[in-house]
PDB file of all heavy atoms in Angstrom:
ATOM      1  N   LEU A 322      13.473  16.202 -23.791  1.00  0.00           N
ATOM      2  CA  LEU A 322      14.918  16.430 -23.770  1.00  0.00           C
ATOM      3  C   LEU A 322      15.402  17.214 -24.987  1.00  0.00           C
ATOM      4  O   LEU A 322      16.165  18.179 -24.847  1.00  0.00           O
ATOM      5  CB  LEU A 322      15.656  15.093 -23.645  1.00  0.00           C
ATOM      6  CG  LEU A 322      17.119  15.169 -23.189  1.00  0.00           C
ATOM      7  CD1 LEU A 322      17.219  15.751 -21.791  1.00  0.00           C
ATOM      8  CD2 LEU A 322      17.763  13.786 -23.230  1.00  0.00           C
ATOM      9  N   PRO A 323      14.961  16.863 -26.211  1.00  0.00           N
ATOM     10  CA  PRO A 323      15.371  17.676 -27.363  1.00  0.00           C
ATOM     11  C   PRO A 323      14.853  19.110 -27.292  1.00  0.00           C
ATOM     12  O   PRO A 323      15.531  20.039 -27.725  1.00  0.00           O
ATOM     13  CB  PRO A 323      14.755  16.930 -28.558  1.00  0.00           C
ATOM     14  CG  PRO A 323      14.543  15.541 -28.081  1.00  0.00           C
ATOM     15  CD  PRO A 323      14.196  15.673 -26.633  1.00  0.00           C
ATOM     16  N   VAL A 324      13.649  19.306 -26.768  1.00  0.00           N
ATOM     17  CA  VAL A 324      13.107  20.659 -26.642  1.00  0.00           C
ATOM     18  C   VAL A 324      13.973  21.496 -25.696  1.00  0.00           C
ATOM     19  O   VAL A 324      14.332  22.638 -26.001  1.00  0.00           O
ATOM     20  CB  VAL A 324      11.651  20.617 -26.133  1.00  0.00           C
ATOM     21  CG1 VAL A 324      11.166  22.015 -25.757  1.00  0.00           C
ATOM     22  CG2 VAL A 324      10.731  20.020 -27.186  1.00  0.00           C
ATOM     23  N   ALA A 325      14.328  20.929 -24.542  1.00  0.00           N
ATOM     24  CA  ALA A 325      15.156  21.651 -23.579  1.00  0.00           C
ATOM     25  C   ALA A 325      16.498  22.021 -24.187  1.00  0.00           C
ATOM     26  O   ALA A 325      16.991  23.141 -24.008  1.00  0.00           O
ATOM     27  CB  ALA A 325      15.356  20.804 -22.324  1.00  0.00           C
ATOM     28  N   ALA A 326      17.102  21.089 -24.926  1.00  0.00           N
ATOM     29  CA  ALA A 326      18.400  21.354 -25.540  1.00  0.00           C
ATOM     30  C   ALA A 326      18.303  22.451 -26.589  1.00  0.00           C
ATOM     31  O   ALA A 326      19.151  23.338 -26.659  1.00  0.00           O
ATOM     32  CB  ALA A 326      18.949  20.067 -26.154  1.00  0.00           C
ATOM     33  N   ALA A 327      17.258  22.405 -27.411  1.00  0.00           N
ATOM     34  CA  ALA A 327      17.085  23.417 -28.444  1.00  0.00           C
ATOM     35  C   ALA A 327      16.847  24.796 -27.836  1.00  0.00           C
ATOM     36  O   ALA A 327      17.375  25.807 -28.315  1.00  0.00           O
ATOM     37  CB  ALA A 327      15.925  23.031 -29.357  1.00  0.00           C
ATOM     38  N   VAL A 328      16.056  24.862 -26.779  1.00  0.00           N
ATOM     39  CA  VAL A 328      15.774  26.139 -26.119  1.00  0.00           C
ATOM     40  C   VAL A 328      17.045  26.691 -25.476  1.00  0.00           C
ATOM     41  O   VAL A 328      17.302  27.900 -25.528  1.00  0.00           O
ATOM     42  CB  VAL A 328      14.659  25.957 -25.068  1.00  0.00           C
ATOM     43  CG1 VAL A 328      14.556  27.188 -24.183  1.00  0.00           C
ATOM     44  CG2 VAL A 328      13.329  25.702 -25.756  1.00  0.00           C
ATOM     45  N   LEU A 329      17.845  25.828 -24.885  1.00  0.00           N
ATOM     46  CA  LEU A 329      19.113  26.275 -24.302  1.00  0.00           C
ATOM     47  C   LEU A 329      20.032  26.855 -25.370  1.00  0.00           C
ATOM     48  O   LEU A 329      20.691  27.875 -25.157  1.00  0.00           O
ATOM     49  CB  LEU A 329      19.807  25.119 -23.596  1.00  0.00           C
ATOM     50  CG  LEU A 329      19.249  24.736 -22.225  1.00  0.00           C
ATOM     51  CD1 LEU A 329      19.899  23.449 -21.728  1.00  0.00           C
ATOM     52  CD2 LEU A 329      19.488  25.855 -21.212  1.00  0.00           C
ATOM     53  N   GLY A 330      20.100  26.189 -26.530  1.00  0.00           N
ATOM     54  CA  GLY A 330      20.921  26.711 -27.610  1.00  0.00           C
ATOM     55  C   GLY A 330      20.456  28.080 -28.065  1.00  0.00           C
ATOM     56  O   GLY A 330      21.262  28.976 -28.323  1.00  0.00           O
ATOM     57  N   LEU A 331      19.138  28.271 -28.140  1.00  0.00           N
ATOM     58  CA  LEU A 331      18.578  29.565 -28.530  1.00  0.00           C
ATOM     59  C   LEU A 331      18.892  30.632 -27.490  1.00  0.00           C
ATOM     60  O   LEU A 331      19.308  31.757 -27.824  1.00  0.00           O
ATOM     61  CB  LEU A 331      17.066  29.431 -28.706  1.00  0.00           C
ATOM     62  CG  LEU A 331      16.289  30.714 -28.973  1.00  0.00           C
ATOM     63  CD1 LEU A 331      16.713  31.327 -30.301  1.00  0.00           C
ATOM     64  CD2 LEU A 331      14.790  30.442 -28.961  1.00  0.00           C
ATOM     65  N   SER A 332      18.697  30.314 -26.211  1.00  0.00           N
ATOM     66  CA  SER A 332      18.963  31.279 -25.148  1.00  0.00           C
ATOM     67  C   SER A 332      20.430  31.689 -25.123  1.00  0.00           C
ATOM     68  O   SER A 332      20.771  32.845 -24.880  1.00  0.00           O
ATOM     69  CB  SER A 332      18.560  30.693 -23.792  1.00  0.00           C
ATOM     70  OG  SER A 332      17.178  30.428 -23.748  1.00  0.00           O
ATOM     71  N   LYS A 333      21.304  30.727 -25.371  1.00  0.00           N
ATOM     72  CA  LYS A 333      22.741  31.010 -25.394  1.00  0.00           C
ATOM     73  C   LYS A 333      23.082  31.966 -26.527  1.00  0.00           C
ATOM     74  O   LYS A 333      23.851  32.916 -26.357  1.00  0.00           O
ATOM     75  CB  LYS A 333      23.513  29.701 -25.544  1.00  0.00           C
ATOM     76  CG  LYS A 333      25.027  29.853 -25.544  1.00  0.00           C
ATOM     77  CD  LYS A 333      25.686  28.493 -25.634  1.00  0.00           C
ATOM     78  CE  LYS A 333      27.203  28.604 -25.601  1.00  0.00           C
ATOM     79  NZ  LYS A 333      27.851  27.263 -25.672  1.00  0.00           N
ATOM     80  N   GLN A 334      22.499  31.742 -27.694  1.00  0.00           N
ATOM     81  CA  GLN A 334      22.740  32.616 -28.835  1.00  0.00           C
ATOM     82  C   GLN A 334      22.244  34.031 -28.564  1.00  0.00           C
ATOM     83  O   GLN A 334      22.932  35.021 -28.854  1.00  0.00           O
ATOM     84  CB  GLN A 334      22.055  32.054 -30.078  1.00  0.00           C
ATOM     85  CG  GLN A 334      22.237  32.917 -31.325  1.00  0.00           C
ATOM     86  CD  GLN A 334      21.432  32.403 -32.495  1.00  0.00           C
ATOM     87  OE1 GLN A 334      20.578  31.528 -32.333  1.00  0.00           O
ATOM     88  NE2 GLN A 334      21.685  32.932 -33.678  1.00  0.00           N
ATOM     89  N   LEU A 335      21.048  34.152 -27.995  1.00  0.00           N
ATOM     90  CA  LEU A 335      20.495  35.473 -27.682  1.00  0.00           C
ATOM     91  C   LEU A 335      21.359  36.191 -26.642  1.00  0.00           C
ATOM     92  O   LEU A 335      21.536  37.423 -26.718  1.00  0.00           O
ATOM     93  CB  LEU A 335      19.065  35.333 -27.167  1.00  0.00           C
ATOM     94  CG  LEU A 335      18.015  34.877 -28.182  1.00  0.00           C
ATOM     95  CD1 LEU A 335      16.682  34.638 -27.495  1.00  0.00           C
ATOM     96  CD2 LEU A 335      17.864  35.885 -29.308  1.00  0.00           C
ATOM     97  N   TYR A 336      21.891  35.446 -25.677  1.00  0.00           N
ATOM     98  CA  TYR A 336      22.718  36.061 -24.637  1.00  0.00           C
ATOM     99  C   TYR A 336      24.000  36.625 -25.239  1.00  0.00           C
ATOM    100  O   TYR A 336      24.414  37.741 -24.912  1.00  0.00           O
ATOM    101  CB  TYR A 336      23.051  35.036 -23.560  1.00  0.00           C
ATOM    102  CG  TYR A 336      23.844  35.599 -22.405  1.00  0.00           C
ATOM    103  CD1 TYR A 336      23.197  36.165 -21.309  1.00  0.00           C
ATOM    104  CD2 TYR A 336      25.233  35.587 -22.413  1.00  0.00           C
ATOM    105  CE1 TYR A 336      23.917  36.707 -20.254  1.00  0.00           C
ATOM    106  CE2 TYR A 336      25.967  36.127 -21.362  1.00  0.00           C
ATOM    107  CZ  TYR A 336      25.302  36.676 -20.280  1.00  0.00           C
ATOM    108  OH  TYR A 336      26.031  37.207 -19.244  1.00  0.00           O
ATOM    109  N   ARG A 337      24.631  35.857 -26.114  1.00  0.00           N
ATOM    110  CA  ARG A 337      25.921  36.275 -26.674  1.00  0.00           C
ATOM    111  C   ARG A 337      25.784  37.383 -27.704  1.00  0.00           C
ATOM    112  O   ARG A 337      26.661  38.230 -27.832  1.00  0.00           O
ATOM    113  CB  ARG A 337      26.631  35.067 -27.272  1.00  0.00           C
ATOM    114  CG  ARG A 337      27.139  34.102 -26.199  1.00  0.00           C
ATOM    115  CD  ARG A 337      27.930  32.963 -26.782  1.00  0.00           C
ATOM    116  NE  ARG A 337      28.623  32.221 -25.725  1.00  0.00           N
ATOM    117  CZ  ARG A 337      29.304  31.105 -25.926  1.00  0.00           C
ATOM    118  NH1 ARG A 337      29.365  30.589 -27.142  1.00  0.00           N
ATOM    119  NH2 ARG A 337      29.909  30.495 -24.924  1.00  0.00           N
ATOM    120  N   THR A 338      24.686  37.392 -28.450  1.00  0.00           N
ATOM    121  CA  THR A 338      24.499  38.427 -29.464  1.00  0.00           C
ATOM    122  C   THR A 338      23.784  39.656 -28.926  1.00  0.00           C
ATOM    123  O   THR A 338      23.743  40.686 -29.596  1.00  0.00           O
ATOM    124  CB  THR A 338      23.696  37.870 -30.648  1.00  0.00           C
ATOM    125  OG1 THR A 338      22.398  37.450 -30.193  1.00  0.00           O
ATOM    126  CG2 THR A 338      24.420  36.673 -31.280  1.00  0.00           C
TER     127      THR A 338
END
Side-chain angles (χ1 to χ4, degrees):
L322 198 63
V324 170
V328 168
L329 283 172
L331 174 64
S332 297
K333 182 177 181 179
Q334 179 186 11
L335 291 174
Y336 183 88
R337 289 184 168 174
T338 61

